[in-house]
């Protein structure tokens, strides 16, 4: 009897301590059924296929602990969850998505760990995201290999800071450490963003600089130089400007311009990316549209491409939405660009693709 009482007391104490830690479990299941068709190219005939595409589902845990000296310690562990064998752009290892420890107070938020760069969050985690990032990955035009925001990255070993908002203004910064042991291979990544939201206007200006990294390597910041080789004297830098306006009757419109420079230590090249996007909400429905294009990447003539998408979303509840999208990827004679989910990935240059997607997203 005494052993039972002792065990019950210990169990109650453990549960109470866990509850006091303010742990929140959250996540999102995002899945679509798609018809994907790549154009015939390279002397091969391509047949359309129906497939399930994961749209970067995730599972996370987060919490905080109030400090006597002011502010609070914050932490988060987020992992990608694959609902099917196709699609999904996240690292499926435990904590492969935004995972960090940090400190938060009236002065802002400081994070240490694996976290999206300030250059990426400009469009994905700000008031601009409802215009530029409110899409399934199949319709998303941003990221490595896509036609826009090609330097969007999650910095695996990073320090990041978000300031409080002052009159609608906010500043964000990121420093991606390079922890390689090789001498002379110091190759950090820096990112900075300034944001504004007020009177219906939203805007952001972002800057990116990667030292000793060429364009193909610049969106990775880790110690594994076998997969992310360092090029001494190389550099990549970029500027991203995005503006939008939210009308009172449910319409949102926006546009973006991005300029990228890359130098391999011998020669340099630069190019521009562009995007226009908008959505209109009426009742429980929302129409979404976007068109983005890139011109002569790495100064290669006709290494260009564009992506267009049109979608209809039905908000069944606050947590669940159903959607349908039409997506087209159009590559120039030297272009080989893809959509963010990878469901339209060319095997050859000048190969275009088309997708029709039906899906759902439910958050918890």
């Amino acid at each position: 009897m005494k052993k039972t009482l002792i065990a019950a007391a210990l169990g109650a104490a453990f549960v109470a301590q866990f509850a006091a830690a303010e742990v929140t479990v959250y996540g999102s299941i995002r899945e679509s059924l798609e018809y994907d068709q790549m154009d015939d190219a390279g002397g091969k005939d391509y047949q359309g296929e129906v497939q399930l595409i994961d749209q970067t589902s995730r599972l996370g845990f987060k919490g905080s602990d109030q400090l006597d000296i002011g502010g609070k310690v914050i932490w988060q562990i987020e992992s990608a969850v694959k609902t099917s064998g196709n699609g999904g752009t996240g690292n499926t290892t435990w904590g492969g998505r935004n995972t960090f420890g940090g400190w938060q107070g009236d002065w802002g938020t400081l994070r240490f760990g694996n976290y999206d760069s300030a250059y990426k969050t400009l469009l994905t985690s700000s008031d601009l995201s409802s215009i530029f990032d409110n899409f399934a990955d199949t319709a998303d035009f941003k990221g490595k290999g896509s036609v826009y925001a090609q330097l969007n990255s999650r910095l695996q070993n990073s320090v990041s800071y978000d300031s409080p908002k002052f009159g609608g203004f906010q500043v964000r910064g990121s420093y991606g450490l390079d922890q390689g042991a090789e001498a002379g291979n110091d190759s950090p990544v820096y990112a900075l963003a300034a944001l504004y939201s007020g009177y219906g206007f939203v805007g952001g200006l972002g800057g990116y600089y990667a030292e000793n990294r060429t364009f193909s390597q610049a969106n990775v910041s880790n110690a594994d130089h076998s997969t992310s080789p360092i090029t001494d004297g190389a550099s990549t830098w970029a500027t991203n400007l995005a503006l939008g306006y939210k009308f009172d009757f449910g319409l949102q419109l926006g546009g973006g311009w991005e300029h990228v420079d890359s130098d391999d230590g011998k020669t340099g090249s630069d190019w521009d990316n562009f995007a226009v996007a908008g959505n209109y909400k009426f009742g429980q429905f929302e129409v979404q549209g976007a068109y983005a294009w890139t011109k002569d990447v790495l100064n290669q003539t006709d290494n260009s491409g564009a992506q267009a998408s049109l979608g209809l979303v039905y908000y069944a509840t606050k947590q669940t939405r159903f959607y349908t999208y039409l997506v087209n990827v159009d590559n120039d004679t030297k272009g080989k660009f893809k959509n963010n989910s990878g469901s339209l990935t060319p095997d050859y240059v000048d190969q275009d693709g088309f997708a029709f997607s039906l899906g759902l997203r439910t958050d918890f």
Side-chain angles (χ1 to χ4, degrees), residues 152-176:
N152 277 10
S153 58
R154 180 172 296 123
L155 304 178
Q156 294 182 1
N157 302 299
S158 68
V159 180
S160 64
Y161 170 73
D162 294 353
S163 77
K165 289 186 178 181
F166 299 101
F169 289 94
Q170 185 185 37
V171 176
R172 300 175 179 178
S174 302
Y175 171 52

Side-chain angles (χ1 to χ4, degrees), residues 3-43:
K3 291 182 179 180
T4 303
L5 291 173
I6 292 173
L10 290 174
F14 176 78
V15 171
Q17 183 177 8
F18 186 79
E22 298 182 9
V23 177
T24 299
V25 180
Y26 69 95
S28 182
I29 301 299
R30 310 179 184 191
E31 181 77 19
S32 68
L33 178 66
E34 291 188 13
Y35 175 80
D36 299 310
Q37 173 71 65
M38 300 301 298
D39 288 353
D40 296 342

Side-chain angles (χ1 to χ4, degrees), residues 240-321:
N240 191 1
L241 174 64
L243 299 171
Y245 187 78
K246 299 180 180 182
F247 295 90
D248 293 336
F249 57 90
L251 177 65
Q252 299 185 102
L253 297 174
W257 165 77
E258 183 178 37
H259 183 78
V260 184
D261 288 86
S262 185
D263 190 326
D264 64 5
K266 298 178 182 179
T267 59
S269 58
D270 66 284
W271 64 95
D272 295 295
N273 304 321
F274 306 90
V276 290
N279 55 67
Y280 174 63
K281 292 183 178 180
F282 54 101
Q284 292 177 257
F285 291 90
E286 180 179 357
V287 176
Q288 301 175 347
Y291 183 77
W293 67 101
T294 184
K295 179 68 175 176
D296 296 341
V297 173
L298 293 169
N299 278 7
Q300 297 179 12
T301 302
D302 296 329
N303 186 13
S304 308
Q307 179 174 322
S309 64
L310 179 65
L312 177 64
V313 181
Y314 173 68
Y315 292 86
T317 69
K318 290 183 178 180
Q319 287 76 37
T320 300
R321 69 191 71 173

Side-chain angles (χ1 to χ4, degrees), residues 16-268:
Q17 183 177 8
F18 186 79
E22 298 182 9
V23 177
T24 299
V25 180
Y26 69 95
S28 182
I29 301 299
R30 310 179 184 191
E31 181 77 19
S32 68
L33 178 66
E34 291 188 13
Y35 175 80
D36 299 310
Q37 173 71 65
M38 300 301 298
D39 288 353
D40 296 342
K44 294 185 178 182
D45 295 329
Y46 283 77
Q47 302 297 318
E49 60 180 338
V50 177
Q51 54 184 338
L52 287 171
I53 301 293
D54 178 73
Q55 306 287 337
T56 315
S57 302
R58 75 283 308 268
L59 174 67
F61 304 85
K62 60 184 177 181
S64 63
D65 187 22
Q66 198 72 34
L67 300 174
D68 294 338
I69 59 174
K72 59 183 177 181
V73 170
I74 59 173
W75 61 270
Q76 178 175 295
I77 302 172
E78 186 173 291
S79 306
V81 178
K82 297 277 280 189
T83 59
S84 63
N86 298 319
T89 57
N91 183 351
T92 55
T93 59
W94 174 257
R97 289 183 57 81
N98 287 332
T99 298
F100 57 85
W103 188 15
Q104 189 175 65
D106 295 337
W107 42 268
T109 302
L110 191 63
R111 298 179 180 90
F112 304 89
N114 185 23
Y115 196 69
D116 291 344
S117 73
Y119 192 81
K120 180 180 180 180
T121 63
L122 173 73
L123 296 179
T124 61
S125 301
S126 73
D127 289 332
L128 284 161
S129 64
S130 62
I131 301 175
F132 292 95
D133 199 52
N134 197 16
F135 304 90
D137 286 353
T138 291
D140 192 1
F141 52 85
K142 306 181 300 302
K144 186 176 182 180
S146 300
V147 296
Y148 196 83
Q150 296 142 358
L151 291 168
N152 277 10
S153 58
R154 180 172 296 123
L155 304 178
Q156 294 182 1
N157 302 299
S158 68
V159 180
S160 64
Y161 170 73
D162 294 353
S163 77
K165 289 186 178 181
F166 299 101
F169 289 94
Q170 185 185 37
V171 176
R172 300 175 179 178
S174 302
Y175 171 52
L177 292 73
D178 176 45
Q179 296 177 314
E182 298 92 331
N185 279 343
D186 184 26
S187 53
V189 175
Y190 305 90
L192 187 65
L195 297 160
Y196 173 76
S197 178
Y199 303 101
F201 290 97
V202 289
L205 177 64
Y208 179 102
Y209 175 68
E211 186 176 349
N212 291 332
R213 293 180 183 269
T214 62
F215 170 67
S216 62
Q217 306 156 5
N219 65 347
V220 178
S221 180
N222 59 28
D224 186 1
H225 292 164
S226 63
T227 58
S228 180
I230 304 305
T231 303
D232 188 40
S235 60
T236 298
W237 58 99
T239 302
N240 191 1
L241 174 64
L243 299 171
Y245 187 78
K246 299 180 180 182
F247 295 90
D248 293 336
F249 57 90
L251 177 65
Q252 299 185 102
L253 297 174
W257 165 77
E258 183 178 37
H259 183 78
V260 184
D261 288 86
S262 185
D263 190 326
D264 64 5
K266 298 178 182 179
T267 59

